[in-house]
């Protein structure tokens, strides 16, 4: 009749009566599922940003174009709205494409984060859900895009990316932390320095 195992049977040290040791478990490691998940996140976020940038820069898909977006920014209280409309539209186009490719991913995601910080700050108080009466002026969609960008800043692009082998691919935490600070700083500074809210 075999003895019932005791706690000391699996504590990593030989148990005198039985001599058994704890089974060796495979250590946690990066896996292909993580890489695939990051690719899907990058591609989804990047495609949305490219589409929005094309609306602003080229005026396609019902977009306002540069002049219309500049007027919108001016109405929201932003100074130098013409330059800012170009900067925002081109940043969305370029950063979105870079995210899809996985190239310079921490900087591209940080640029997206800076834009979304402004969008969220502008829409605070309008309601959360896009299905609410506030509609497109609700904060839900922009908050989700900003959170997705922040995730990619901190995780890096994964191994299915043109960034594979670069320093920020091997050490996404330290490079991501730096890019996160940069993205947040730029977003807040643009909102504080370039916007003059109305009475």
């Amino acid at each position: 009749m075999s003895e019932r195992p005791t706690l000391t049977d699996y504590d990593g040290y030989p148990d005198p009566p039985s001599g058994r040791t704890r089974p060796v478990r495979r250590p946690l490691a990066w896996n292909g599922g993580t890489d695939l998940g990051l690719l899907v996140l990058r591609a989804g976020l990047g495609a949305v940003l490219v589409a929005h940038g094309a609306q602003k820069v080229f005026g396609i898909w019902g977009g306002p174009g540069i002049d219309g977006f500049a007027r919108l920014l001016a109405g929201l209280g932003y100074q130098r709205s013409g330059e800012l409309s170009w900067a925002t539209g081109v940043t969305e186009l370029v950063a979105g494409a870079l995210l899809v490719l996985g190239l310079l991913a921490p900087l591209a995601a940080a640029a997206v984060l800076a834009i979304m910080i402004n969008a969220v700050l502008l829409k605070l108080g309008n309601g959360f859900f896009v299905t609410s009466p506030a509609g497109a002026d609700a904060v839900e969609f922009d908050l989700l895009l900003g959170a997705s960008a922040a995730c990619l800043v901190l995780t890096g692009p994964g191994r299915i990316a043109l960034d594979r082998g670069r320093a920020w691919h091997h050490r996404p935490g330290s490079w991501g932390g730096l890019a996160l600070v940069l993205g947040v700083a730029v977003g807040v500074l643009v909102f504080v320095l370039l916007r003059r809210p109305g009475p």
Side-chain angles (χ1 to χ4, degrees):
M1 179 174 145
S2 62
E3 296 180 0
R4 295 180 62 187
T6 64
L7 290 176
T8 54
D9 288 333
Y10 301 101
D11 63 0
Y13 297 94
D15 185 62
S18 63
R20 284 180 287 187
T21 59
R22 170 186 280 177
V24 177
R25 295 183 179 179
R26 186 174 64 181
L28 294 175
W30 197 261
N31 62 75
T34 303
D35 292 317
L36 187 58
L38 288 173
L39 173 62
V40 171
L41 179 59
R42 279 186 7 242
L45 179 61
V48 168
L49 266 294
V50 167
H52 279 263
Q55 284 185 309
K56 294 176 178 69
V57 174
F58 304 117
I60 60 176
W61 300 320
I66 285 294
D67 292 337
F69 187 55
R71 287 192 296 271
L72 174 63
L73 290 176
L76 293 170
Y78 283 97
Q79 308 298 306
R80 308 188 67 167
S81 58
E83 295 93 331
L84 194 56
S85 64
W86 274 108
T88 304
V90 171
T91 297
E92 287 183 346
L93 274 173
V94 174
L98 290 175
L99 285 175
V100 171
L101 296 172
L103 182 63
L104 302 175
L107 289 178
V112 174
L113 178 61
I115 293 171
M116 292 306 128
I117 285 173
N118 277 264
V120 169
L121 290 175
L122 283 171
K123 295 179 179 181
L124 283 177
N126 289 347
F128 183 79
F129 297 104
V130 294
T131 54
S132 68
D137 290 328
V139 75
E140 177 183 20
F141 180 64
D142 302 295
L143 189 62
L144 179 60
L145 293 182
S148 300
C151 287
L152 288 172
V153 169
L154 294 172
T155 62
R159 291 179 292 187
I160 310 174
L162 295 181
D163 271 343
R164 183 173 181 175
R166 299 178 191 272
W168 46 88
H169 171 247
H170 292 298
R171 293 183 295 278
S174 55
W175 284 92
L178 180 63
L180 184 68
V181 170
L182 180 63
V184 171
V186 169
V188 171
L189 286 174
V190 167
F191 187 81
V192 171
L193 299 180
L194 293 183
R195 184 169 179 266
R196 300 290 183 267

